[in-house]
């Protein structure tokens, strides 16, 4: 789709305004627009907002074979994509002139300045090295894509962490982030590009042109510098003639701007580090501002907590009571009883003598000798269970399946049982 | 349905919301009853016996019975009779190609100017701004513009633009500016004297006595989109006092 053409009246007005040192959004000649840097959830994902220009950079890495003429250096690969989202003038697929120009400038700015130690990316010399790939996507074009891309690229590289590797001879093991903490790249310095636009054959100069100013400019000068005042790259396009003093002045302005921007980047990286450490939610979802109408947000529905205990009690009461336990009838083999829970020996009676004798007798009546029961259970259980029901005179009989379900107790007892029980009692006593 | 519409006035509605006759809409049998008619403005459409919302936005109501949707759309769709600001992109034979911000470029015949004849051609070059109205604008044909009304008079249309600044805003703001007793316009009158051309395709053109004032007005209008009436009055007052 074609971009909206620029009308004559807009062009005239802009040039006249620049002659009077007025910019469309009220900035001064050397002012940058507001820069905002946010990070995504992964390491190496960075968004940069330069006014309304929006750019995203993503760094990724993989192990590859090195180049033949550089066997012990890693590989850096840069790619700028002009997404049609950014402007109707950008077409999908076709490599336009602007895209080629931006790619070349970014490569020169970051690769040729040797800002990243490529030798530290070597794993096995001549065989395996890390290839670091930086993808920059334009999300919105409001002028000065170059500066925004350079800020995004270098910030993403500083933010990125590559997986740790272990080398044993020729074998290379890559550790996942859970096994070993990923390592940051070793970066020597941060080159940042600053763009100057010239109007009226070099008479007037503006820093950080917006989209409309870019359309009426005569030429562009891009200076890439780091905070140590080392120039990494200079590029002049548009065919304008510049004087030596002009270029010197621009480089002085650039050094001031670069130190400000570098400080901003360091602060953003520190903030992100602190946020990740604190475990706070960081990343893409949180960096999007919540627009009122379009955010998928529902109000918290309040949950009634007042009557929870009462309703819980209600539920418990209304539920059916568990069926009363009924023990199955067990006929005790003479001479054998069980000590413990259900005492057939009558030993517990001594303790309960203070209590009703009736109780004691009841106990006897209702006693279950768990013999048969246990025998049944032994058949049911697997071989692994060991239950010793013996006529040993040890006081403790340990049954290894404590959660025997409450079996029904017989309330009535046969006289046979009673007799047997009393006979046992007499025997023991 | 009338009552349900009235209930939702000033609510945010999404495209696809419907209003239909409810089963408990009662009509009194004893009193004389007039049939209720609801006039649908932009954003509302009748389909069968239901009213369907086709644009997301806020439902507005003007008594007695006009309803429409106020939206923040910026994309313009040409409609017949609307006056727009266009940029001349090409001159081909008898007509000019004009960009109006829609999906296609509109054509403007050079005879469609006041007092234009085959000998007396209008003075239009590529890159000029024209204020024109649509005489043909539907989805099946290429849109056509004309710089004169049906009786042949210009009535404010034609080539213009020297010395001013053109910028784009949303269509909702433009309609607010064009409404008969627009608050925004009356607030603007309290500031500097200026010339304002409002195109319904979202383009505004401003000219004032100095470049600084022109820039101020342009920025104020662009920020009016996202401000409430209160904030706007406050901002205009500060500008008037010269604080900005």
């Amino acid at each position: 789709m074609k971009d909206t053409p620029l009308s004559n009246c807009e062009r005239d007005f802009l040039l006249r305004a620049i002659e009077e040192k007025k910019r469309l959004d009220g900035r001064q000649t050397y002012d940058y627009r507001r820069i905002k840097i946010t990070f995504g959830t992964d390491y190496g994902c960075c968004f940069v907002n330069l006014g309304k220009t929006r750019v995203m950079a993503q760094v990724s890495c993989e192990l590859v074979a090195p180049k033949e003429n550089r066997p012990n250096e890693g590989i850096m690969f840069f790619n700028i994509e002009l997404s049609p989202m950014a402007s109707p003038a950008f077409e999908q697929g076709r490599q336009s002139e602007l895209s080629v120009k931006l790619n070349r400038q970014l490569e020169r700015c970051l690769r040729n300045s040797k800002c990243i130690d490529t030798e530290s990316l070597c794993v096995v010399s001549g065989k395996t090295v890390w290839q670091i790939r930086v993808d920059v996507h334009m999300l919105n074009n409001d002028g000065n894509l170059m500066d925004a891309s350079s800020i995004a690229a270098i910030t993403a590289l500083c933010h990125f962490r590559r997986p740790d590797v272990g080398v044993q001879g020729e074998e290379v093991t890559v550790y996942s982030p859970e096994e070993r903490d990923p390592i940051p790249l070793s970066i020597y310095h941060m080159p940042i590009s600053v763009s100057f636009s010239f109007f009226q054959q070099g008479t007037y100069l503006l820093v950080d042109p917006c989209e409309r100013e870019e359309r009426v400019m005569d030429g562009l000068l891009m200076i890439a510098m780091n905070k140590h005042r080392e120039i990494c790259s200079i590029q002049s396009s548009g065919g304008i003639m510049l004087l030596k003093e002009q270029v010197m002045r621009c480089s002085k302005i650039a050094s001031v701007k670069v130190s400000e921007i570098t400080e901003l980047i360091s602060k953003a990286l520190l903030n992100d580090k602190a946020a990740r450490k604190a475990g706070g939610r960081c990343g893409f979802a949180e960096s999007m501002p919540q627009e009122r109408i379009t955010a998928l947000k529902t109000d918290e529905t309040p949950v009634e907590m007042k009557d929870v205990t009462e309703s819980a009690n209600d539920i418990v009461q209304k539920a059916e009571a568990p069926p009363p336990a009924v023990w199955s009838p067990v006929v005790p083999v003479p001479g054998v009883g069980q000590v413990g829970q259900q005492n057939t020996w009558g030993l517990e009676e001594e303790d309960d003598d203070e209590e009703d004798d009736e109780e004691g007798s009841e106990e006897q009546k209702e006693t279950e000798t768990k013999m048969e029961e246990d025998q049944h259970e032994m058949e049911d259980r697997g071989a692994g269970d060991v239950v010793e029901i013996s006529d040993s005179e040890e006081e403790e009989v340990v049954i290894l399946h404590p959660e025997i379900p409450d079996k029904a107790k017989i309330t009535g007892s046969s006289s046979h049982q009673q007799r047997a029980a009393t006979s046992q009692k007499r025997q023991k006593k | 349905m009338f009552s349900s519409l009235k209930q939702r006035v000033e609510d945010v509605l999404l495209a696809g919301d419907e209003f239909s006759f409810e089963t408990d809409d009662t009509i009194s049998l004893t009193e004389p009853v007039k049939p209720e008619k609801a006039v649908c403005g932009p954003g509302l459409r009748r389909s069968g016996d239901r009213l369907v919302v086709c644009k997301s936005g806020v439902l507005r109501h003007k008594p007695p019975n006009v309803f429409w949707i106020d939206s923040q759309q910026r994309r313009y769709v040409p409609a017949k009779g609307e006056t727009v600001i266009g940029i001349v992109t090409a001159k081909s034979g008898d007509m000019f190609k004009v960009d109006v911000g829609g999906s296609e470029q509109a054509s403007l015949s050079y005879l469609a100017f006041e007092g234009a004849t085959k000998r007396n051609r209008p003075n239009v070059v590529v890159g000029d701004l024209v204020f024109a109205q649509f005489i043909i604008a539907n989805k099946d044909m290429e849109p056509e513009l004309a710089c004169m009304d049906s009786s042949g008079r210009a009535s404010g249309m034609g080539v213009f633009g020297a010395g001013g600044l053109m910028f784009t805003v949303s269509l909702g703001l433009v309609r607010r500016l064009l409404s008969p007793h627009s608050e925004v316009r009356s607030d603007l009158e309290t500031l500097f004297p200026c010339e304002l051309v409002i195109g319904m395709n979202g383009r505004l053109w401003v000219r004032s006595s100095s470049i600084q004032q022109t820039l101020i007005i342009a920025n104020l209008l662009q920020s009016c989109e996202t401000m409430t009436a209160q904030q706007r009055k406050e901002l205009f007052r500060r500008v008037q006092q010269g604080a900005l």
Side-chain angles (χ1 to χ4, degrees), chain A residues 96-284:
Chain A
S96 67
E97 212 182 283
L98 177 65
S99 143
V100 170
K101 184 173 135 195
L102 288 173
N103 267 300
R104 191 76 197 97
Q105 279 182 341
L106 188 71
E107 276 203 21
R108 223 175 321 125
C109 176
L110 291 178
R111 193 205 295 273
N112 296 6
S113 63
K114 302 219 186 311
C115 61
I116 298 209
D117 180 11
T118 43
E119 287 194 2
S120 69
L121 298 175
C122 175
V123 178
V124 177
S125 177
K127 292 252 171 57
T128 334
V129 296
W130 282 112
Q131 177 190 47
I132 307 286
R133 188 197 162 101
V134 183
D135 286 296
V136 184
H137 296 264
M138 308 299 165
L139 302 178
N140 193 31
N141 177 19
D142 195 30
N144 206 3
L145 289 173
M146 186 60 223
D147 286 5
S149 318
S150 84
I151 297 177
I154 195 64
T155 312
L157 282 168
C158 291
H159 190 243
F160 180 61
R161 306 265 182 280
R162 65 167 173 87
D164 197 0
V165 280
V167 182
Q168 291 208 326
E170 293 291 315
E171 228 184 75
V172 174
T173 11
V174 179
Y175 295 109
S176 72
E178 289 89 29
E179 290 168 14
R180 285 212 201 159
D181 278 341
I183 318 175
L185 300 174
S186 76
I187 298 182
Y188 291 139
H189 60 97
M190 299 210 281
I192 299 194
S193 83
V194 178
S195 296
F196 301 87
S197 52
F198 290 93
F199 304 86
Q200 313 282 43
Q201 280 80 47
T203 329
Y204 302 100
L205 138 76
L206 286 182
V207 174
D208 187 20
C210 70
E211 205 243 335
R212 291 223 240 176
E213 288 162 357
E214 270 189 351
R215 283 214 193 169
V216 298
M217 70 185 176
D218 287 336
L220 184 77
L221 176 70
M222 195 261 312
I223 300 186
M225 238 185 183
N226 61 23
K227 71 173 183 198
H228 309 294
R229 312 195 60 185
E230 295 164 341
I231 293 186
C232 307
S233 146
I234 294 193
Q235 162 119 354
S236 155
S237 58
I240 39 163
M241 314 290 215
L242 291 174
L243 300 171
K244 190 176 67 174
E245 294 85 30
Q246 283 177 313
V247 179
M248 291 305 292
R249 191 157 48 105
C250 289
S251 61
K252 287 201 184 70
I253 300 169
S255 69
V256 171
K257 293 295 163 197
V258 163
S259 53
E260 283 170 15
I261 296 176
T262 313
E263 211 180 285
L264 191 71
I265 295 179
S266 323
K267 226 184 335 176
L269 285 166
L270 268 176
N271 283 348
D272 179 73
K273 198 160 155 200
R276 275 176 205 265
K277 222 184 218 174
R281 297 183 58 194
C282 54
F284 184 67

Side-chain angles (χ1 to χ4, degrees), chain A residues 1 4-10 13 16-17 20 22-26 212 293, chain B residues 75 87 89 99 126-129 161 163-167 203 211-212 215 219:
Chain A
M1 208 181 111
T4 343
L6 189 70
S7 58
N8 296 343
C9 98
E10 273 180 285
F13 185 86
R16 273 197 307 146
E20 293 188 18
K22 302 244 185 297
R23 294 179 84 160
L24 279 184
D25 42 8
R212 291 223 240 176
I293 290 179
Chain B
R75 200 97 183 83
I87 304 173
T89 52
D99 169 86
V126 172
D128 275 351
L129 290 180
L165 174 66
M166 188 183 81
F167 53 97
R203 296 186 182 163
I211 292 197
Q212 175 74 354
L215 281 174
N219 278 315

Side-chain angles (χ1 to χ4, degrees), chain B residues 93-158:
Chain B
D94 288 357
M95 47 179 57
F96 307 109
K97 279 275 182 243
V98 178
D99 169 86
V100 290
S103 54
E104 270 188 277
Q105 298 203 332
S107 63
L108 171 62
S109 161
Y110 75 87
L111 289 174
F113 289 81
E114 184 179 2
T117 59
K118 281 212 178 111
R119 303 272 176 85
N120 185 9
R121 288 177 187 229
N123 191 8
V124 179
V125 290
V126 172
D128 275 351
L129 290 180
V130 285
F131 189 63
Q133 72 175 359
F134 279 106
I135 45 178
I136 295 181
N138 52 41
K139 60 182 165 72
D140 304 311
M141 295 169 61
E142 184 196 28
E144 266 186 48
L145 292 166
C147 276
M148 58 186 196
D149 56 15
S150 45
S151 57
R153 282 197 297 264
S155 62
M157 295 187 269

